[in-house]
Amino acid sequence: MNHTARAAALGAGALLLALSLPGNPAAAAELPRIDLRVLVVTDGGPATAALTAELDGQGTPYTTVDLRQSGRPVIDAAYLADTADGRARAKFQAVVLPNDNPFGAGSAEMAALASYEQTYSIPQVDAYTYARPEAGLRAPEFSGSLDGVRAQVTASGKSGPFGYLAGQVPFENNASAASESYGFLAEPAPGADFTSYVDAPIPGASGRGSLVGEYRHDGRRELVVTFVYNQHQQQFRLLARGIVDWMTQGVQLGSSRNYFAVHVDDVFGADDRWDSELNCTPGDVDCPPGQGTPDPIRMTADDAAYAAQWSKGRKFPLDMAFNGGGSELYREENGGADPLADRLIADRGEHRWINHTYNHPFLGCVQDVSTVPWTCAKNADGGTRYVSRTEISQQISDNRNWGQRAGLPLQSGELVTGEHSGLKVLPQQPDDNPNLGPALRDNGVTWLGSDNSRDRGQRPVGPGLTVPRFPMNVFYNAGRTSEQIDEYNWIYTRKADGGSGVCENSSVATCLESPLDSTTGYQDHIVPVESTIAMGHVLANDPRPHFIHQSNLAEDRIAYPVLGSILDAYGALFADNAPVVNLRMADIGGELRSRAAWDTAVKAGKVTAYRIGDKVTVQAPSGVAARATMPTGTDQQLLLGTDPFGSAYAGRTSGWVSPALLQSRVTLNLPSAPGVVGEAAAEQPDVTKAAGKLPVPPGATTYVKPGTDGHTPRALPTRR
């Protein structure tokens, strides 16, 4: 059969429910139990590592067999299947291999896998394999670097597992001197039942070669991937959802969405300005006392009107972290008038609002700013002097009351302290202010913003949990493009080039080859770098918000080119069924909390889930909601009747689900659809290349985004 004959049969409907039906089932009672767990066989390569990272990120259970370990389990019939309650049980719903046969010619383990896949209709993903007839492809018509290639989702890919993409799959090309992705391009082998899902033009030829495709043979289904990748690269991030969807056929524990939220700090207040001569910020703690003259940056009413117009036009509300005292101070100094506050309050419905304390004081230790860097003041007994519970509590309550009087739509449980203060900050303050937790309790605060570059994990503080936020390198002390470029050059260039040199000895910083042009550097370098980093977070199923400052919406409005670039790039890559998800802070905190509980239960082996026919059963520890993705039309079974499960995203239904009243487990009813009947077993193919010998460019195993959290270095003398 040629590679297009089954295109219609490989659409989303047929793929959804092929999983778990044995060959020629005679009756429902004979249907096997298919455990919702993936078997990952790895040789240590970056492709299988990327797929396990994706399963981790989605919260999908898997078992790893490492071919490099001498004491690893042997993959045989007993390892793959047994019986449970008198019913045949397949222990894995899908198999991931490093290539189409990593065991070698005549391997009993490969024979056991093939038989298992035939018997239970279990899909197999070849994480990175040669283009060759044994994988359903001709010999490669091209092999080499794929950097900068513009791959495309085919019609079959759009109607199948990659229907959430708009069409293009651009391969990264971040360093012209290094190859970042290697692969093979080939057409289907003559007579092979092969359907390409993602392809690219073959250089020097008129045809297109497959990069991701499905090969059906011998009663088995393989997803054949012919390029190498790692978990950070955009091409993998774009395709990862579809690969997991294909292997689980839309019936899985775990879920994935693309999140992006932006917090704007210091609204109603003002931010100190970078001094290009002093290379510090007068009025802030990085300038020695008495140096320079503060020149604050504050939005105007026109800036506020533009922000509302932008948010409305983009259908993307910004989260305004506000300091009501900033407006009151401005009114005192300007005869009672504050056009900025009037405009923002009039447009309050276009944004979301977060309490950022009344006057934006530092709420950790009492700072001694007589030297740079500052230190914590000490009590007479030598202990650290901390800001009091009363002061912290008043800053929270005064700002909340101000916002309520202004009619701002607030959630009282959300708080971002000025500079994330009160939380530990190294090296000066290694512990949280002990007065912070009690003050949060006084005010009913349950979600507290933290700086992800300093405090990566969600953690408890008093009665609440932190919500880590990604800092963007659009600096708080820059309202003009020229200031942003100058400070960027100071931080990221060598001393020999006129910079600070902090990048030269930093474990996370990368020095610029030369200083950015003072006119074009922002648009040509900073905007694409920052938008690429943020897009990496968006595509990583990471709900944590990003944060900038009100100064970046003022004067030259330097935030908008970055934010617009992110949203434009996203819109060009994704179909309408996979919109960017913009959650408010409390919802992000809740998502992170639920994920932590679920991941802990999964890693501890305390989650049991399986499918029998059109029913999925999930058992998790009490109080732990299950994270799942199912076909559209799935219902949750109640004692009486049913409820719809989840919400639509990327062609599937996903969400959190807990047992209903008087139930101890979750039962989901899948929509009915025909299954795939297994075909007869066939002789196993030879493997002509040994596992682990496929070409892997140096960048594929070592490439990471700049910085420890996928962000540019945070060794900055600036406030966050």
Side-chain angles (χ1 to χ4, degrees):
M1 185 180 293
N2 65 36
H3 69 286
T4 59
R6 291 203 184 185
L10 296 179
L15 284 174
L16 284 178
L17 299 172
L19 181 67
S20 84
L21 295 179
N24 302 315
E30 299 175 10
L31 293 174
R33 163 178 158 169
I34 310 294
D35 283 2
L36 300 190
R37 175 173 286 270
V38 176
L39 173 62
V40 179
V41 179
T42 181
D43 60 0
T48 48
L51 290 172
T52 54
E54 178 65 16
L55 295 173
D56 277 328
Q58 293 201 27
T60 301
Y62 64 92
T63 296
T64 301
V65 174
D66 192 334
L67 297 176
R68 300 167 297 174
Q69 295 182 350
S70 59
R72 69 171 178 86
V74 174
I75 299 174
D76 56 17
Y79 183 80
L80 297 168
D82 59 9
T83 59
D85 300 324
R87 183 188 296 272
R89 176 175 75 136
K91 298 180 182 179
F92 308 102
Q93 69 178 124
V95 175
V96 175
L97 299 182
N99 54 62
D100 58 296
N101 182 354
F103 304 99
S107 164
E109 289 184 292
M110 193 67 234
L113 273 172
S115 177
Y116 173 73
E117 292 169 10
Q118 292 161 347
T119 301
Y120 296 101
S121 294
I122 301 299
Q124 172 184 309
V125 174
D126 304 334
Y128 168 46
T129 197
Y130 286 97
R132 60 197 188 102
E134 290 83 354
L137 294 166
R138 295 179 184 269
E141 295 162 80
F142 170 83
S143 59
S145 174
L146 297 173
D147 296 0
V149 164
R150 309 292 289 187
Q152 193 75 21
V153 180
T154 67
S156 296
K158 288 183 179 179
S159 64
F162 301 103
Y164 57 89
L165 292 174
Q168 61 175 310
V169 182
F171 277 58
E172 290 184 347
N173 186 16
N174 296 305
S176 57
S179 176
E180 298 165 38
S181 187
Y182 190 100
F184 309 95
L185 292 170
E187 295 180 340
D193 183 6
F194 190 99
T195 300
S196 181
Y197 291 144
V198 181
D199 65 16
I202 299 173
S206 59
R208 299 181 69 86
S210 180
L211 289 167
V212 183
E214 179 172 332
Y215 179 37
R216 290 177 177 245
H217 65 108
D218 309 323
R220 300 165 59 206
R221 299 170 56 233
E222 293 181 47
L223 192 70
V224 178
V225 184
T226 58
F227 69 94
V228 70
Y229 46 87
N230 67 54
Q231 69 187 76
H232 302 288
Q233 290 175 305
Q234 180 174 275
Q235 55 266 30
F236 171 71
R237 293 256 46 94
L238 291 172
L239 298 172
R241 176 195 306 277
I243 294 172
V244 173
D245 185 76
W246 183 91
M247 75 169 78
T248 64
Q249 297 173 72
V251 179
Q252 67 169 108
L253 296 182
S255 61
S256 177
R257 300 193 176 197
N258 297 332
Y259 299 90
F260 187 46
V262 178
H263 294 185
V264 183
D265 289 4
D266 304 348
V267 174
F268 298 120
D271 291 295
D272 294 311
R273 189 186 303 274
W274 173 256
D275 189 304
S276 298
E277 297 296 327
L278 297 172
N279 292 316
C280 64
T281 311
D284 207 345
V285 295
D286 65 315
C287 261
Q291 277 202 5
T293 302
D295 181 17
I297 309 164
R298 189 175 191 260
M299 293 172 66
T300 66
D302 286 344
D303 295 327
Y306 186 89
Q309 177 187 4
W310 186 89
S311 294
K312 187 174 182 179
R314 288 284 187 170
K315 298 181 180 178
F316 188 88
L318 299 170
D319 291 89
M320 300 296 195
F322 71 97
N323 309 107
S327 175
E328 295 307 308
L329 176 62
Y330 189 90
R331 292 185 190 278
E332 289 177 12
E333 296 174 347
N334 291 274
D338 187 0
L340 167 64
D342 294 342
R343 183 71 266 165
L344 283 169
I345 292 170
D347 294 332
R348 56 187 175 271
E350 301 298 335
H351 312 295
R352 296 187 295 238
W353 297 87
I354 301 172
N355 189 342
H356 195 37
T357 72
Y358 189 67
N359 295 121
H360 199 286
F362 191 85
L363 298 178
C365 64
V366 175
Q367 290 178 296
D368 180 352
V369 296
S370 60
T371 60
V372 176
W374 61 270
T375 58
C376 286
K378 303 295 183 180
N379 294 316
D381 62 3
T384 299
R385 186 187 310 170
Y386 287 103
V387 175
S388 70
R389 172 179 178 176
T390 299
E391 183 176 348
I392 298 172
S393 184
Q394 186 169 357
Q395 281 291 325
I396 298 169
S397 60
D398 284 356
N399 203 50
R400 177 191 296 150
N401 293 338
W402 188 95
Q404 290 172 342
R405 290 194 301 272
L408 304 181
L410 302 175
Q411 286 199 9
S412 60
E414 298 176 338
L415 176 69
V416 178
T417 57
E419 303 177 59
H420 305 100
S421 58
L423 297 173
K424 61 184 179 181
V425 52
L426 297 176
Q428 294 98 327
Q429 184 190 316
D431 300 302
D432 295 343
N433 182 343
N435 299 317
L436 178 62
L440 300 182
R441 184 173 290 105
D442 293 341
N443 289 274
V445 173
T446 51
W447 305 111
L448 179 65
S450 63
D451 185 338
N452 187 77
S453 68
R454 293 169 166 171
D455 205 351
R456 293 171 61 84
Q458 186 178 54
R459 63 182 180 89
V461 179
L465 291 171
T466 60
V467 178
R469 308 189 305 162
F470 287 114
M472 301 189 81
N473 267 359
V474 183
F475 301 137
Y476 89 98
N477 52 0
R480 304 184 185 113
T481 304
S482 59
E483 296 161 354
Q484 171 74 19
I485 296 171
D486 185 83
E487 184 175 4
Y488 201 93
N489 280 336
W490 173 250
I491 296 169
Y492 298 120
T493 56
R494 299 173 178 85
K495 285 187 176 180
D497 292 326
S500 65
V502 297
C503 60
E504 296 180 73
N505 300 310
S506 171
S507 60
V508 298
T510 301
C511 293
L512 294 168
E513 292 183 4
S514 60
L516 301 180
D517 184 272
S518 60
T519 302
T520 63
Y522 187 67
Q523 194 64 43
D524 291 350
H525 180 87
I526 298 175
V527 169
V529 166
E530 289 305 305
S531 58
T532 297
I533 291 169
M535 179 63 81
H537 301 151
V538 174
L539 301 185
N541 190 22
D542 193 333
R544 288 174 288 182
H546 294 72
F547 72 96
I548 56 175
H549 293 80
Q550 64 83 34
S551 52
N552 309 139
L553 306 186
E555 300 181 345
D556 288 349
R557 301 172 181 169
I558 61 177
Y560 295 111
V562 175
L563 303 184
S565 177
I566 296 164
L567 296 176
D568 288 343
Y570 187 90
L573 293 170
F574 286 89
D576 291 342
N577 68 358
V580 68
V581 179
N582 181 1
L583 299 179
R584 72 170 302 135
M585 184 172 164
D587 296 326
I588 294 170
E591 175 74 15
L592 292 173
R593 178 181 59 189
S594 295
R595 288 188 187 191
W598 172 253
D599 291 345
T600 297
V602 168
K603 286 178 172 58
K606 296 182 179 180
V607 173
T608 301
Y610 56 87
R611 173 183 175 183
I612 299 175
D614 62 358
K615 290 192 180 298
V616 170
T617 301
V618 185
Q619 180 85 52
S622 177
V624 176
R627 185 179 177 188
T629 300
M630 296 289 151
T632 301
T634 297
D635 289 327
Q636 180 181 4
Q637 184 65 52
L638 310 178
L639 285 178
L640 295 175
T642 61
D643 272 346
F645 162 75
S647 58
Y649 194 80
R652 298 288 182 255
T653 300
S654 56
W656 297 94
V657 61
S658 298
L661 184 66
L662 302 179
Q663 293 180 329
S664 61
R665 63 186 64 187
V666 171
T667 299
L668 299 175
N669 302 317
L670 305 176
S672 298
V676 172
V677 178
E679 301 174 20
E683 182 181 352
Q684 297 306 306
D686 233 357
V687 173
T688 59
K689 302 285 186 180
K693 300 300 184 182
L694 278 69
V696 177
T701 56
T702 61
Y703 173 83
V704 293
K705 297 293 187 185
T708 57
D709 65 348
H711 207 280
T712 40
R714 297 306 300 166
L716 310 180
T718 55
R719 187 184 68 190
R720 292 149 171 93

